[in-house]
Amino acid sequence: MSIVFNPSVRCQLPVLLLLLQGILIGIFAVFLSYDELSSAASLSNITVAKKNDMDTYFPLFKDIQLMLFVGLGLLLSFLKLYGFGAMAFNLVIANFSIQWAVLVQGFFYHYRDGKIHFGLENVMQAEFAAVTALISAGAILGRCSPVQLLLLSMLEIPLFVLNDWLINHYFHIIDIGGTVAIHVFSCYFGLGVSRILYRPGLRAGHSKNITTPTTDLLSLLGAIILWIFWPSFNSVLAKSAEAQHRAVLNTFLALSFSTLTTFALSSLMDKRGRINMVHLQNSILAGGVAVGASADMMITPAGASGLGCIAALSCILGFQYIAPFLEIKLKVQDQCGIHNLHGLPAILGTLGSILAILFERVDTTGHNLRGLITSDISIEKELFSSDTVEGNGAWNAKDQALNQAAALGVTFGVSLLGGYITGLILKPPCLVHPSDEMCFDDQPYFQIPTDSEETWSLNAQAQRELIVPLKQV
Amino acid sequence: MSIVFNPSVRCQLPVLLLLLQGILIGIFAVFLSYDELSSAASLSNITVAKKNDMDTYFPLFKDIQLMLFVGLGLLLSFLKLYGFGAMAFNLVIANFSIQWAVLVQGFFYHYRDGKIHFGLENVMQAEFAAVTALISAGAILGRCSPVQLLLLSMLEIPLFVLNDWLINHYFHIIDIGGTVAIHVFSCYFGLGVSRILYRPGLRAGHSKNITTPTTDLLSLLGAIILWIFWPSFNSVLAKSAEAQHRAVLNTFLALSFSTLTTFALSSLMDKRGRINMVHLQNSILAGGVAVGASADMMITPAGASGLGCIAALSCILGFQYIAPFLEIKLKVQDQCGIHNLHGLPAILGTLGSILAILFERVDTTGHNLRGLITSDISIEKELFSSDTVEGNGAWNAKDQALNQAAALGVTFGVSLLGGYITGLILKPPCLVHPSDEMCFDDQPYFQIPTDSEETWSLNAQAQRELIVPLKQV
Amino acid sequence: MSIVFNPSVRCQLPVLLLLLQGILIGIFAVFLSYDELSSAASLSNITVAKKNDMDTYFPLFKDIQLMLFVGLGLLLSFLKLYGFGAMAFNLVIANFSIQWAVLVQGFFYHYRDGKIHFGLENVMQAEFAAVTALISAGAILGRCSPVQLLLLSMLEIPLFVLNDWLINHYFHIIDIGGTVAIHVFSCYFGLGVSRILYRPGLRAGHSKNITTPTTDLLSLLGAIILWIFWPSFNSVLAKSAEAQHRAVLNTFLALSFSTLTTFALSSLMDKRGRINMVHLQNSILAGGVAVGASADMMITPAGASGLGCIAALSCILGFQYIAPFLEIKLKVQDQCGIHNLHGLPAILGTLGSILAILFERVDTTGHNLRGLITSDISIEKELFSSDTVEGNGAWNAKDQALNQAAALGVTFGVSLLGGYITGLILKPPCLVHPSDEMCFDDQPYFQIPTDSEETWSLNAQAQRELIVPLKQV
């Protein structure tokens, strides 16, 4: 039992959390004020505009919330003995990251007159930032303590905001769904961390790295919930109603075709034709990741559909051939396969966006593509400062294509390096680490019901006599 | 083991799926173009209208997605050993059916200037078509391979589109919730298929046709999700805001009263007064099925409530008395009880719509009923061509009542015959069929976690030493 | 077996339910008519307004439905052997309470010209009433029969409507999220009932009062779904778009900070630092309860965040120290800990609203606070009759603060007394009561799958031979 319970869990987690909450409330008190859409001090004649704002953002806000907390929470809960950790630490990382990103992005984009102007728009922007921390944490799922996960979020969020600003400000990237800004970034950041936290002891496998039919089904359910709301995710930032409509359609088609392709390829990979649940849980989403960089372009319905197929292909090949290579040769353990779902499809999707930019016909979409950058009704309008206007006269497809590629390269480098450094910061033994044996196990962190299925069936009679005081339930 | 794994699974499923995806993308490339609401080539001054379109359809689109993929997926996952198949094949059927219906309905309703004009409206219309394939597949749940299910969808979708066109074009049916067009059609189509695929070997029951407390609870959860969004389903096609509002209210009341009636009757059916989970999972939805044909009429709140009670009664009597008769006398096995949930309540609901038409007072609703047919703001406006306008002068309640009855009869005949023929096409032994023993079992199609509860508890120690290579998770 | 099955279950439940449904349909037939937004008899030129009404209420209506039926249903399903009862009886109480509240509130607020004018607004108002019955039932979860739960709803709904009217009419309470009207009321009503129905036999614990990892995970999932939609709940009644926006922000922040505080404090409470799932399932929601009374005020983001932390603290201290005291000293068994989640945070939240009223700066919010009471675009506009207008001239912060306190006191007294009396009415032995042994067990009420995990693994071979007739599934 002394192996299971690390006394510093009780010290480090509460102290860190309470400290962070206290500091954040303090900074909020000094710097955060309601923005003009949520403040009672605003003039009443903008009520109509406010109304529209709530109408526009609130439904999408709830979609994103469902994706982060229910969809991702369930998707991650596939391990037999680490369901509480997967869903609960997802809650911890997401909430802290949102609070922290509200501050960091607030000082970057919403700081005026000594105050961060705070509204639903800020929360939604912060949730996009939080997604990166949640994806990165997937690489090390079950191998890190919540204290380490909090530190990871603390370091990743500012780097994400910086990189996002870089690729928008200097490269004017077209990337409505965050294919580069979110998926490439979070994947290579996570792999960088995982490389440093490599555990040789898990190389030969782990007896707790197992699923059950119920956990696999709930995980698939989580993937399906992400699948349903992905069109919302990829279209929130659209700069016009027609671009938003198109982003929804393209994302839906990419997801639909990557779903059926997943079934075909997963069956093909097994010598008995049986489908692998891990493939289903991930690869049905690959189309949504890939199409993010071009969802609002005129890529045609067939283009979006084809991209979905290719994305699923890359994801499944990743699981079969690249993940083992990464683990054995490069010593990168990737528990949730984020490289297969986020890394590979996102790189393909960026290449797809470059092709789309180069081959789009000018008459309908030259106008369109410039519009995707310069329209000012976006929630990221601050990103496009005066230099964009000058740049506009010189806008051409080739430059934009180069910019997309450059943004991809920069993001790759920044995230991988950032992940490495973060890994080094998380490594010192003074931080709580679960032992190899206690990986993929809720026991060090949660009070587990004594009546789990296996014990029940083995000594059902003994259990029936167990007296659980009412107050504990 | 040779019984379990049919080598042709690996051949047929991937080949068929990849072929279908390739062909569909090819046809999409030639014929599909964004409609005027989602194309960048459109004039910018319709931005406001576009906005409204997204506002109108996008939230309802997500509701329908939740119903199909989460609600129905969970509802079908009640079998202990066939949870993956239920939820995953639901995904396969739904996605293929939507892609296929986009084409078929596209050529029927959205084809202009050599192109199918494609938008969110088309996807939503296609999802309604997909519902029919999903319901029909419920009759043969666990008894057919995914190849057979794909063929079923391939044949059912065009027949649904044809029948839907027939009953709208010739009979001007009032049927906002698809009581006839969707529920009657899919039920008798599915029963027709099931009749041909009758398995005498299952007559005495099947050791795998069992549920667990967890699967039953998740299945009830799926029913509840369908229950919550049913008002959206029944009101999407409403032709005015006031009719939509009424459709929501009537559907809610019908569902609410059929829920409590279900509890009462299910308890009454058992000699110890215990409620049957199968009744709960189905009959609480019966009101939603029945009220579909009259949800937008002025049937009064009490009328909607009463219809809900009667629908639940028909559903529970169906489970108790009619389903055994169908199985034993007519050799129709109906795994999910679609006849009880979709067939019987839908027939009652159509009769209800006839009564409502005949007895509605003219002063408030003669106007109303004509409005339900002739308004042109519907997404099905193409259905009502010039002859409707002429017909309008002659519109009277008696004719409409006869039309409702005729549409019911035609749909019944078309679907039953179509189902029979489809069954014959699915029957040849060259298609993958699970053996009787492998019915209701995921094993032939999925890699099952080796650590299912029963093996774990029987040899927990042996399991703990099992080395599962990391890369497989 | 004679202990398990109470023959009067079969008599009382169906008879009571069918009687209630019949009576309600009868009253509906006489008194309910569609309101001007859902009636075809309305003039067509208010179509635009109707549209807005659907746009405003329908999305929030679905959010509330998800909270009641999915969120709360899952949250309550934490007991290993009482999952069906938790989720299904939740459905019974909610549906009956909504139907009943539509009538009671209809006669109170929507009765004109001999008719209750019925629309989506009424249903939503009724769902708020139903929440009180659902919360109160949490105190006696697993200890009462559905007949008792129906009687509880029948008595609690009118008392809730009366108390809600009292504190609005006489004290003009500011309480957008129902902190006093819903949470304080339902908590002390439920504790009152539980006091009377005290079972000494459960004092030493109960062998069935246990959870499993799966039920605990699903219960946490339910809490997360409630968490996601709580901002909708607290902002539905907002009287302007800007107040609604602020209510969403404040509720989100309160929830987010109470979530992280919960992790910190729960870990701190355990000597090994392990988190308690019961704390997670409840305390992450405490911020939403507490902020309800001040969500639309200018309490600043930091204020909302701090309130969330304090609410979580009160909830966890409640579970650790106050719940055992209540049970042992005051003989109040509180199965779901409603006193910890609803009682304590709501009292704190009311105090918070008093402080916010006293300390808000006049320049921005004196106007604001008056606005929160007198605006007439609320769905509760009938609550504010002519005397409010006179009162307005004299409005001042001190009076309002006293009114908030008075409303809290009145609600506390009314609900506790009402609960006591209701408990006495539920107590007579002629009503079905589960025996002590059958508490927390689905067996008396549901047909349980014979193949629950424990029996399966103990005698898997025997099970495989079990023949379950097809018609039963």
Side-chain angles (χ1 to χ4, degrees):
Chain A
M1 282 313 236
S2 59
I3 299 168
V4 177
F5 302 104
N6 189 326
S8 43
V9 167
R10 193 184 180 188
C11 304
Q12 291 187 4
L13 183 63
V15 169
L16 180 63
L17 272 175
L18 292 177
L19 207 68
L20 287 173
Q21 296 296 281
I23 292 171
L24 282 168
I25 290 179
I27 306 180
F28 279 17
V30 178
F31 289 109
L32 238 59
S33 72
Y34 300 115
D35 67 12
E36 65 272 21
L37 302 179
S38 55
S39 168
S42 307
L43 294 171
S44 58
N45 58 5
I46 58 165
T47 301
V48 178
K50 289 171 200 170
K51 188 72 193 165
N52 286 339
D53 192 63
M54 273 296 285
D55 282 358
T56 308
Y57 287 130
F58 194 40
L60 297 168
F61 168 69
K62 288 180 285 189
D63 293 351
I64 308 296
Q65 296 263 87
L66 275 172
M67 289 179 82
L68 293 197
F69 295 101
V70 176
L72 199 54
L74 280 172
L75 178 62
L76 295 171
S77 305
F78 58 88
L79 288 167
K80 179 183 170 68
L81 301 173
Y82 194 65
F84 295 171
M87 192 176 283
F89 295 154
N90 185 60
L91 208 55
V92 171
I93 302 172
N95 274 290
F96 171 70
S97 296
I98 292 169
Q99 297 169 5
W100 179 217
V102 160
L103 269 197
V104 177
Q105 291 174 327
F107 284 114
F108 245 78
Y109 300 125
H110 306 284
Y111 190 73
R112 287 188 304 280
D113 313 325
K115 288 285 179 187
I116 294 170
H117 294 252
F118 177 69
L120 203 49
E121 184 190 316
N122 307 44
V123 181
M124 212 149 73
Q125 218 179 354
E127 298 207 326
F128 277 87
V131 169
T132 60
L134 294 169
I135 294 173
S136 298
I140 50 175
L141 183 84
R143 303 207 313 267
C144 283
S145 69
V147 169
Q148 291 177 301
L149 296 173
L150 279 169
L151 290 176
L152 178 144
S153 311
M154 218 180 297
L155 296 164
E156 182 165 3
I157 296 296
L159 196 67
F160 161 77
V161 174
L162 184 70
N163 182 68
D164 187 45
W165 181 83
L166 275 178
I167 62 178
N168 275 289
H169 191 76
Y170 288 110
F171 304 119
H172 311 305
I173 188 171
I174 299 178
D175 184 21
I176 189 175
T179 295
V180 174
I182 293 174
H183 296 289
V184 170
F185 179 88
S186 60
C187 171
Y188 293 101
F189 188 95
L191 295 185
V193 171
S194 185
R195 174 66 192 81
I196 302 294
L197 300 182
Y198 179 70
R199 286 176 183 254
L202 304 186
R203 195 161 184 173
H206 194 291
S207 65
K208 292 172 182 169
N209 195 354
I210 47 173
T211 66
T212 72
T214 300
T215 61
D216 261 336
L217 193 71
L218 290 177
S219 181
L220 177 60
L221 183 67
I224 289 174
I225 289 170
L226 289 168
W227 191 96
I228 288 173
F229 293 105
W230 211 287
S232 298
F233 189 89
N234 274 3
S235 69
V236 168
L237 301 181
K239 289 172 178 58
S240 71
E242 143 259 316
Q244 189 181 33
H245 194 151
R246 201 160 53 244
V248 168
L249 292 175
N250 288 334
T251 305
F252 174 78
L253 286 172
L255 289 165
S256 182
F257 279 82
S258 72
T259 300
L260 293 187
T261 305
T262 298
F263 278 90
L265 296 179
S266 184
S267 173
L268 208 59
M269 291 288 162
D270 183 68
K271 62 176 189 281
R272 282 166 171 160
R274 295 167 309 166
I275 292 154
N276 186 326
M277 289 303 282
V278 176
H279 294 168
L280 280 199
Q281 287 149 2
N282 289 278
S283 178
I284 63 170
L285 300 170
V289 171
V291 85
S294 53
D296 51 350
M297 295 187 201
M298 293 288 285
I299 54 173
T300 77
S305 306
L307 188 57
C309 292
I310 295 169
L313 175 67
S314 77
C315 181
I316 285 183
L317 292 179
F319 272 109
Q320 288 296 113
Y321 303 112
I322 300 177
F325 172 82
L326 281 180
E327 185 175 353
I328 293 160
K329 299 289 180 192
L330 303 186
K331 299 187 177 174
V332 178
Q333 288 155 336
D334 179 7
Q335 179 64 18
C336 295
I338 63 170
H339 189 244
N340 313 311
L341 173 52
H342 300 280
L344 297 172
I347 291 174
L348 272 176
T350 316
L351 297 179
S353 79
I354 292 173
L355 289 178
I357 288 165
L358 292 176
F359 287 97
E360 274 201 72
R361 283 156 305 167
V362 175
D363 56 328
T364 58
T365 56
H367 164 74
N368 170 38
L369 279 176
R370 264 201 303 275
L372 297 181
I373 302 182
T374 56
S375 165
D376 63 348
I377 61 168
S378 146
I379 73 162
E380 287 188 341
K381 56 178 178 267
E382 289 83 0
L383 296 175
F384 302 100
S385 48
S386 54
D387 60 333
T388 314
V389 180
E390 302 157 34
N392 250 343
W395 190 92
N396 68 60
K398 214 177 238 170
D399 286 358
Q400 183 66 40
L402 284 171
N403 275 343
Q404 301 282 110
L408 175 64
V410 166
T411 302
F412 180 83
V414 167
S415 60
L416 200 58
L417 187 67
Y420 259 74
I421 295 169
T422 301
L424 292 169
I425 296 172
L426 300 188
K427 203 169 187 185
C430 62
L431 293 173
V432 182
H433 291 256
S435 65
D436 277 5
E437 196 198 336
M438 278 298 131
C439 282
F440 316 121
D441 197 328
D442 283 328
Q443 281 187 75
Y445 316 114
F446 294 91
Q447 295 178 30
I448 312 292
T450 49
D451 175 57
S452 60
E453 272 77 7
E454 65 262 42
T455 59
W456 176 269
S457 52
L458 288 175
N459 53 356
Q461 285 313 311
Q463 281 292 333
R464 285 189 192 277
E465 287 152 29
L466 183 78
I467 301 302
V468 179
L470 255 177
K471 63 177 166 143
Q472 288 190 15
V473 180
Chain B
M1 283 313 236
S2 59
I3 299 167
V4 178
F5 301 103
N6 188 326
S8 43
V9 168
R10 194 184 180 189
C11 304
Q12 291 186 4
L13 182 64
V15 169
L16 180 63
L17 272 175
L18 292 176
L19 207 69
L20 287 173
Q21 296 296 279
I23 291 171
L24 283 169
I25 291 179
I27 305 179
F28 280 17
V30 178
F31 289 108
L32 237 61
S33 73
Y34 300 115
D35 66 12
E36 65 272 22
L37 302 179
S38 56
S39 167
S42 306
L43 293 171
S44 57
N45 58 6
I46 58 165
T47 301
V48 177
K50 288 171 201 172
K51 190 71 194 167
N52 286 339
D53 192 64
M54 273 296 285
D55 283 358
T56 308
Y57 288 129
F58 195 39
L60 297 168
F61 168 69
K62 289 179 285 189
D63 293 350
I64 308 296
Q65 296 262 89
L66 275 171
M67 289 178 82
L68 293 197
F69 295 102
V70 176
L72 199 55
L74 281 171
L75 177 62
L76 295 171
S77 305
F78 57 87
L79 287 167
K80 177 183 170 70
L81 301 173
Y82 194 65
F84 295 171
M87 193 177 282
F89 296 153
N90 186 59
L91 209 53
V92 171
I93 302 173
N95 274 288
F96 171 70
S97 296
I98 292 170
Q99 296 170 5
W100 178 219
V102 160
L103 269 196
V104 177
Q105 293 174 325
F107 284 115
F108 244 80
Y109 299 125
H110 306 285
Y111 189 73
R112 287 188 306 277
D113 314 324
K115 289 284 179 189
I116 293 168
H117 294 252
F118 176 69
L120 203 50
E121 182 190 317
N122 308 44
V123 181
M124 213 150 73
Q125 216 178 358
E127 298 207 325
F128 277 86
V131 169
T132 60
L134 294 168
I135 294 173
S136 298
I140 50 173
L141 182 85
R143 304 207 313 266
C144 283
S145 69
V147 169
Q148 291 177 300
L149 297 173
L150 280 168
L151 290 176
L152 178 145
S153 311
M154 217 179 297
L155 296 163
E156 182 165 3
I157 296 295
L159 196 68
F160 161 76
V161 174
L162 184 71
N163 183 69
D164 188 46
W165 181 82
L166 275 177
I167 61 178
N168 276 289
H169 190 77
Y170 288 110
F171 304 118
H172 312 304
I173 188 172
I174 299 178
D175 184 20
I176 189 176
T179 294
V180 174
I182 293 174
H183 296 289
V184 170
F185 179 88
S186 60
C187 170
Y188 292 100
F189 187 96
L191 295 186
V193 172
S194 185
R195 175 66 192 81
I196 303 292
L197 300 182
Y198 179 70
R199 288 177 182 252
L202 304 187
R203 194 159 183 174
H206 193 293
S207 65
K208 293 172 181 168
N209 195 355
I210 47 173
T211 66
T212 71
T214 300
T215 61
D216 261 336
L217 192 71
L218 290 177
S219 181
L220 177 59
L221 184 66
I224 290 174
I225 289 170
L226 289 168
W227 192 95
I228 288 173
F229 292 105
W230 212 288
S232 298
F233 189 89
N234 275 2
S235 69
V236 168
L237 302 180
K239 287 170 179 61
S240 71
E242 144 258 315
Q244 190 181 33
H245 194 149
R246 199 159 56 242
V248 168
L249 292 175
N250 287 334
T251 306
F252 175 78
L253 287 173
L255 289 165
S256 182
F257 278 82
S258 71
T259 299
L260 293 187
T261 305
T262 298
F263 278 89
L265 297 178
S266 185
S267 173
L268 209 58
M269 290 289 160
D270 183 68
K271 61 178 188 284
R272 282 166 172 161
R274 295 166 310 166
I275 293 154
N276 186 325
M277 289 303 281
V278 176
H279 294 168
L280 279 200
Q281 287 149 3
N282 289 278
S283 178
I284 62 169
L285 299 169
V289 171
V291 85
S294 53
D296 53 349
M297 296 186 200
M298 293 287 286
I299 54 174
T300 77
S305 306
L307 189 56
C309 293
I310 295 169
L313 175 68
S314 78
C315 182
I316 285 184
L317 292 179
F319 272 108
Q320 287 297 110
Y321 303 111
I322 300 177
F325 172 80
L326 281 181
E327 186 175 351
I328 293 161
K329 300 289 180 192
L330 303 186
K331 299 188 177 175
V332 178
Q333 288 155 336
D334 179 6
Q335 180 64 17
C336 295
I338 63 171
H339 189 245
N340 314 312
L341 174 51
H342 300 278
L344 297 172
I347 290 173
L348 272 177
T350 315
L351 297 180
S353 79
I354 292 173
L355 289 179
I357 288 164
L358 292 176
F359 287 98
E360 274 200 72
R361 283 157 305 167
V362 176
D363 56 329
T364 58
T365 56
H367 165 73
N368 170 38
L369 279 175
R370 264 201 303 278
L372 297 181
I373 303 182
T374 57
S375 165
D376 63 347
I377 59 168
S378 146
I379 73 162
E380 285 187 342
K381 56 178 175 265
E382 289 83 1
L383 295 175
F384 302 100
S385 48
S386 54
D387 61 331
T388 313
V389 181
E390 302 157 34
N392 248 344
W395 189 92
N396 68 60
K398 213 178 238 170
D399 286 357
Q400 183 65 39
L402 284 171
N403 275 342
Q404 301 284 110
L408 174 64
V410 166
T411 301
F412 180 82
V414 167
S415 60
L416 200 59
L417 188 67
Y420 260 75
I421 296 170
T422 299
L424 292 170
I425 294 172
L426 300 188
K427 203 171 187 185
C430 61
L431 293 173
V432 183
H433 290 257
S435 65
D436 276 6
E437 197 198 334
M438 278 298 131
C439 282
F440 316 121
D441 197 327
D442 284 328
Q443 280 188 75
Y445 316 113
F446 294 91
Q447 295 178 32
I448 312 291
T450 50
D451 175 57
S452 59
E453 272 79 3
E454 64 263 37
T455 60
W456 176 268
S457 51
L458 288 174
N459 53 358
Q461 284 313 311
Q463 281 292 335
R464 284 189 191 276
E465 287 153 29
L466 182 78
I467 302 300
V468 179
L470 255 175
K471 62 175 166 150
Q472 290 189 14
V473 181
Chain C
M1 282 313 235
S2 59
I3 300 166
V4 177
F5 301 104
N6 189 326
S8 44
V9 167
R10 194 183 180 191
C11 304
Q12 291 187 2
L13 182 63
V15 169
L16 180 61
L17 272 175
L18 292 176
L19 207 69
L20 287 173
Q21 296 294 281
I23 292 171
L24 283 168
I25 291 179
I27 305 179
F28 280 16
V30 178
F31 289 109
L32 238 61
S33 72
Y34 300 115
D35 67 11
E36 65 272 21
L37 302 180
S38 56
S39 167
S42 305
L43 293 171
S44 57
N45 58 6
I46 59 165
T47 301
V48 177
K50 289 170 200 171
K51 187 74 194 167
N52 287 339
D53 191 66
M54 273 296 285
D55 282 358
T56 308
Y57 288 129
F58 195 40
L60 297 168
F61 168 69
K62 289 180 285 190
D63 294 352
I64 308 297
Q65 295 262 87
L66 276 171
M67 290 179 81
L68 293 198
F69 295 101
V70 176
L72 198 55
L74 281 172
L75 177 62
L76 295 172
S77 305
F78 58 87
L79 287 167
K80 177 183 170 72
L81 301 173
Y82 194 66
F84 295 171
M87 192 176 284
F89 295 153
N90 185 61
L91 208 55
V92 171
I93 302 172
N95 274 289
F96 172 70
S97 297
I98 292 169
Q99 296 168 6
W100 179 219
V102 160
L103 270 196
V104 177
Q105 292 174 325
F107 284 113
F108 244 80
Y109 299 125
H110 306 283
Y111 190 73
R112 286 189 304 281
D113 314 323
K115 288 284 178 187
I116 293 169
H117 294 251
F118 176 68
L120 204 48
E121 183 190 316
N122 307 46
V123 181
M124 213 149 73
Q125 217 178 357
E127 298 207 325
F128 278 85
V131 168
T132 59
L134 295 168
I135 294 173
S136 299
I140 50 173
L141 183 83
R143 303 206 315 266
C144 283
S145 68
V147 169
Q148 290 177 302
L149 297 173
L150 280 168
L151 289 177
L152 177 144
S153 311
M154 218 178 298
L155 297 164
E156 181 165 4
I157 296 294
L159 196 68
F160 161 76
V161 174
L162 183 72
N163 182 68
D164 187 46
W165 180 82
L166 275 178
I167 61 178
N168 275 287
H169 190 76
Y170 288 110
F171 305 119
H172 311 304
I173 188 172
I174 299 179
D175 184 20
I176 188 174
T179 294
V180 174
I182 294 174
H183 296 289
V184 170
F185 179 87
S186 60
C187 170
Y188 292 100
F189 188 96
L191 296 185
V193 172
S194 185
R195 175 67 192 80
I196 301 293
L197 300 181
Y198 178 69
R199 285 175 183 255
L202 304 187
R203 193 160 185 174
H206 194 292
S207 64
K208 292 172 181 168
N209 195 354
I210 48 173
T211 66
T212 72
T214 300
T215 60
D216 260 337
L217 192 71
L218 290 177
S219 181
L220 177 59
L221 183 67
I224 290 175
I225 289 170
L226 289 169
W227 192 95
I228 288 174
F229 293 105
W230 212 287
S232 298
F233 190 89
N234 274 3
S235 69
V236 168
L237 301 181
K239 288 173 178 56
S240 72
E242 144 259 316
Q244 188 180 34
H245 194 149
R246 200 160 55 243
V248 168
L249 292 174
N250 287 335
T251 305
F252 174 78
L253 287 172
L255 288 165
S256 182
F257 278 82
S258 72
T259 300
L260 293 187
T261 304
T262 298
F263 278 90
L265 296 179
S266 184
S267 173
L268 208 59
M269 290 289 159
D270 183 68
K271 62 176 188 280
R272 281 164 172 161
R274 296 166 309 165
I275 292 153
N276 186 327
M277 289 303 282
V278 176
H279 294 169
L280 279 199
Q281 288 149 2
N282 289 279
S283 178
I284 63 169
L285 299 170
V289 171
V291 85
S294 53
D296 52 349
M297 295 187 201
M298 294 286 287
I299 56 174
T300 78
S305 306
L307 188 57
C309 293
I310 296 168
L313 175 67
S314 77
C315 182
I316 285 183
L317 293 179
F319 273 108
Q320 287 297 112
Y321 303 111
I322 300 177
F325 171 81
L326 282 180
E327 186 174 351
I328 294 160
K329 299 288 180 194
L330 304 186
K331 299 189 178 175
V332 177
Q333 289 154 336
D334 178 7
Q335 180 64 16
C336 295
I338 63 170
H339 189 244
N340 312 312
L341 173 52
H342 300 279
L344 297 172
I347 290 173
L348 272 176
T350 314
L351 298 180
S353 79
I354 292 173
L355 289 179
I357 288 164
L358 291 176
F359 287 97
E360 274 200 72
R361 283 157 306 168
V362 174
D363 54 331
T364 59
T365 55
H367 165 74
N368 170 38
L369 280 176
R370 263 200 304 276
L372 297 180
I373 302 181
T374 57
S375 164
D376 65 346
I377 60 169
S378 146
I379 73 162
E380 287 187 341
K381 56 178 177 265
E382 290 83 0
L383 296 175
F384 302 99
S385 48
S386 54
D387 61 331
T388 313
V389 180
E390 301 158 34
N392 250 344
W395 190 92
N396 70 60
K398 212 176 239 172
D399 285 357
Q400 183 66 40
L402 284 173
N403 275 342
Q404 301 283 110
L408 174 64
V410 166
T411 302
F412 180 83
V414 167
S415 60
L416 200 59
L417 187 67
Y420 259 75
I421 296 169
T422 301
L424 291 170
I425 295 172
L426 300 187
K427 203 169 188 186
C430 61
L431 293 173
V432 183
H433 291 257
S435 65
D436 277 6
E437 196 198 335
M438 279 297 131
C439 282
F440 316 121
D441 197 326
D442 284 328
Q443 281 188 76
Y445 316 114
F446 295 91
Q447 295 178 30
I448 312 290
T450 50
D451 175 57
S452 60
E453 272 80 6
E454 63 263 38
T455 61
W456 176 268
S457 52
L458 287 175
N459 53 356
Q461 285 313 312
Q463 282 291 335
R464 285 188 193 277
E465 287 151 28
L466 183 77
I467 302 302
V468 179
L470 256 175
K471 63 176 165 144
Q472 288 192 12
V473 181

